Amino acid sequence: MVKSTESTVLLRTTEVLIIGSLGFLLNVLYTRLLTHNLSLELYGDFTVAMRSLVLVSQIITFGIGLSAQRFVSRYIKMRQPRKIQGFITWSLLLLLRTSFFLAIAYGLFWLTATITHLTEIHRFDQYHLALFVMIFAPLFSIFTFFVSMIMASGYVLLSTIIGRLLNRVVQIATVLIFFHFFIPKEIYHLSIMLVSILFVSMTLSIALYILLPENEIFHILEQSKKRFIDDSWLRVAESACLNTIMFTLAFTADLYILEIFSPQENHVGIFSVCEVCVGLLSTLQGAINTQLSTEIMNLDILKDKARVQLQRSLDVYNIIKLLMVIASACMSWIFRQEIFSFFNIHETTAYLLLPIMFVNVYLFDTRYQFSYLVSCKDMDFINRIQATSTGMMIIGSLILVIPYNMYGIVVATGLSRIFSKTALTLRCRQFCSMRLNLFA
């Protein structure tokens, strides 16, 4: 039984690693396609707009994706189609309400913008691309919801492929079609391209869910007026929404700050390319971490011999992760000119940026500490540390971005991650003597 479980974990980790690596290669291809056809300034605007759409979609989705994974999977196992139908109806109605509030806010903003434009206080063409496409965030919300529904239905691998591979293929194909006819040089063109990507992705996720056997999408219209509703859906969604927004904000605030305060407009594009390059290291770290997360969460029931074996495994994996980040940082410096030229970047001032960002990816790796503290039901402490770390990153970036530009952002990010990694590690040491890092 133990060997079978280990084989299953190894197989799942291998699948995640393969899918993640393929997703990284597609992301590199997608980024190269954009950077060779758009200026770095427009590519930066495009990236910020897409990040903004993701953030707004998570707000209006309100965490219903996690609720789907938690409740729908249970309803499927217990063969309760009426509850599944009720959940789908509840989720779509919630998304409709939040989208309505988004439309009101969007309309009020452009009403104010029209007044400022007519009074010559501020012109339309001076607004960022993200503000023009914000109203289309519900398209991305529907995409993520149905991907979550596919996962909750038991098709975990399929949902991962859709989210990481097929969605990126859709983006590449859509961009290629646009570039075949014309190269976007204005915000209006980029807006059309973004909306097209979102619409095709949404349609793809809905179609694949409909093709699944025993899906309940066609039965929601057949429900009686007394449809099933569970108050737990909203409570879980609210908790997931807050955590997801904090996590996304930590990865989005740096681009916002750079976009607003950096004197060089192309810095956002360069910074975004570097984030794409460090994606593979993050994927590899995640695949390694899945090997021991379950054992760490069950640390309190392990016998002494199993604890010793777990410590040995932790030491080996932590050494591997450290060697990976050292190798990545060194290779990114040795081949710095080739890497940046591949993405049509010819500035030499950003050469040192990539090695520092690889180190930041390593500092962000707190999966072992997170798993253990979750098993200790210490989520309040995790949330406080996460909020404090995000605040430190934002404040530090605001202070350092003007004198040091992109390097100020990565330094502030690194310092905030050192704080969170240290705080979480010390908290774990208060409960157990296991070394979750190499030295603590």
Side-chain angles (χ1 to χ4, degrees):
M1 176 65 77
V2 175
K3 289 184 178 180
S4 177
T5 303
E6 290 179 351
S7 300
T8 302
V9 172
L10 181 60
L11 178 61
R12 289 178 179 176
T13 303
T14 304
E15 291 173 349
V16 171
L17 184 59
I18 293 173
I19 294 173
S21 299
L22 290 175
F24 169 77
L25 293 176
L26 287 173
N27 200 20
V28 169
L29 176 62
Y30 177 65
T31 303
R32 188 177 191 274
L33 181 64
L34 291 174
T35 53
H36 277 260
N37 289 278
L38 301 176
S39 65
L40 280 175
E41 292 81 0
L42 280 180
Y43 171 70
D45 291 342
F46 185 87
T47 304
V48 172
M50 184 60 77
R51 294 281 186 91
S52 301
L53 283 170
V54 172
L55 181 61
V56 174
S57 70
Q58 288 175 345
I59 294 174
I60 64 176
T61 305
F62 211 71
I64 56 179
L66 183 61
S67 284
Q69 296 174 32
R70 178 171 177 177
F71 293 103
V72 174
S73 58
R74 182 186 305 172
Y75 299 153
I76 291 175
K77 292 179 181 178
M78 299 176 66
R79 298 186 180 277
Q80 296 175 319
R82 179 172 169 268
K83 293 185 178 181
I84 300 175
Q85 296 163 17
F87 182 86
I88 294 175
T89 305
W90 172 81
S91 300
L92 294 178
L93 289 176
L94 177 61
L95 182 57
L96 182 62
R97 287 196 298 269
T98 53
S99 299
F100 176 72
F101 291 129
L102 173 65
I104 293 176
Y106 189 81
L108 291 175
F109 172 80
W110 285 113
L111 177 62
T112 305
T114 302
I115 296 174
T116 58
H117 179 75
L118 294 176
T119 55
E120 298 184 355
I121 297 176
H122 200 280
R123 293 181 56 83
F124 280 131
D125 56 5
Q126 294 175 336
Y127 289 108
H128 196 277
L129 171 66
L131 295 175
F132 286 93
V133 299
M134 201 72 72
I135 192 62
F136 299 102
L139 298 180
F140 191 80
S141 297
I142 295 174
F143 165 76
T144 56
F145 169 69
F146 278 100
V147 170
S148 299
M149 287 296 298
I150 292 173
M151 178 179 290
S153 299
Y155 301 90
V156 179
L157 183 60
L158 177 61
S159 67
T160 305
I161 291 174
I162 295 171
R164 296 191 179 184
L165 298 184
L166 289 184
N167 187 41
R168 188 62 73 185
V169 170
V170 166
Q171 293 175 347
I172 293 174
T174 305
V175 168
L176 281 174
I177 293 173
F178 268 84
F179 288 166
H180 176 72
F181 294 101
F182 65 93
I183 301 298
K185 295 182 179 180
E186 300 178 2
I187 289 180
Y188 174 71
H189 297 152
L190 289 177
S191 300
I192 297 176
M193 189 167 69
L194 264 174
V195 173
S196 301
I197 291 173
L198 294 175
F199 180 79
V200 176
S201 298
M202 178 196 69
T203 305
L204 174 68
S205 64
I206 295 175
L208 289 174
Y209 179 72
I210 291 175
L211 292 175
L212 296 181
E214 300 181 359
N215 73 82
E216 299 294 333
I217 193 68
F218 291 116
H219 299 289
I220 60 175
L221 299 177
E222 302 174 1
Q223 298 179 84
S224 62
K225 294 183 179 180
K226 295 182 179 179
R227 58 185 176 85
F228 178 81
I229 297 178
D230 190 342
D231 294 336
S232 301
W233 298 342
L234 186 59
R235 288 197 297 269
V236 173
E238 287 176 345
S239 177
C241 181
L242 292 174
N243 289 329
T244 303
I245 291 173
M246 287 296 299
F247 184 82
T248 306
L249 189 60
F251 281 93
T252 308
D254 49 6
L255 285 183
Y256 288 155
I257 295 172
L258 202 58
E259 177 74 24
I260 296 172
F261 295 102
S262 176
Q264 301 293 328
E265 293 185 3
N266 62 351
H267 280 182
V268 178
I270 296 173
F271 196 88
S272 300
V273 168
C274 290
E275 287 186 328
V276 171
C277 293
V278 301
L280 181 59
L281 179 61
S282 179
T283 300
L284 294 174
Q285 286 186 164
I288 292 175
N289 289 337
T290 56
Q291 295 280 4
L292 299 177
S293 295
T294 303
E295 288 83 351
I296 292 173
M297 296 188 74
N298 295 299
L299 188 60
D300 57 330
I301 62 174
L302 293 181
K303 296 182 179 179
D304 292 341
K305 186 176 180 180
R307 283 173 173 260
V308 172
Q309 182 60 43
L310 176 60
Q311 185 63 74
R312 291 175 180 173
S313 300
L314 282 169
D315 291 340
V316 170
Y317 285 142
N318 282 324
I319 289 174
I320 291 174
K321 288 190 290 186
L322 181 61
L323 292 177
M324 283 196 311
V325 69
I326 293 174
S328 299
C330 292
M331 294 295 288
S332 67
W333 175 254
I334 294 172
F335 297 101
R336 58 192 182 277
Q337 185 174 355
E338 291 80 3
I339 293 173
F340 282 94
S341 297
F342 181 80
F343 293 105
N344 199 30
I345 300 175
H346 305 290
E347 291 192 15
T348 61
T349 55
Y351 280 170
L352 190 58
L353 191 67
L354 200 50
I356 299 176
M357 292 181 73
F358 273 115
V359 175
N360 282 349
V361 171
Y362 175 75
L363 293 175
F364 190 69
D365 177 33
T366 55
R367 177 66 181 271
Y368 293 153
Q369 293 90 326
F370 178 84
S371 299
Y372 179 72
L373 291 177
V374 167
S375 68
C376 296
K377 299 180 180 179
D378 205 10
M379 278 299 299
D380 288 340
F381 180 81
I382 294 175
N383 291 335
R384 289 198 302 270
I385 294 300
Q386 185 180 12
T388 304
S389 177
T390 303
M392 288 178 59
M393 187 273 289
I394 293 174
I395 295 173
S397 297
L398 289 172
I399 295 173
L400 298 176
V401 66
I402 295 179
Y404 301 108
N405 291 323
M406 295 180 291
Y407 289 98
I409 298 286
V410 295
V411 168
T413 302
L415 292 176
S416 67
R417 292 181 178 181
I418 289 174
F419 163 77
S420 60
K421 195 178 186 73
T422 302
L424 294 175
T425 300
L426 292 177
R427 185 70 167 182
C428 291
R429 295 289 286 180
Q430 293 178 357
F431 295 107
C432 72
S433 57
M434 295 286 293
R435 293 191 313 277
L436 301 179
N437 292 319
L438 281 176
F439 306 108

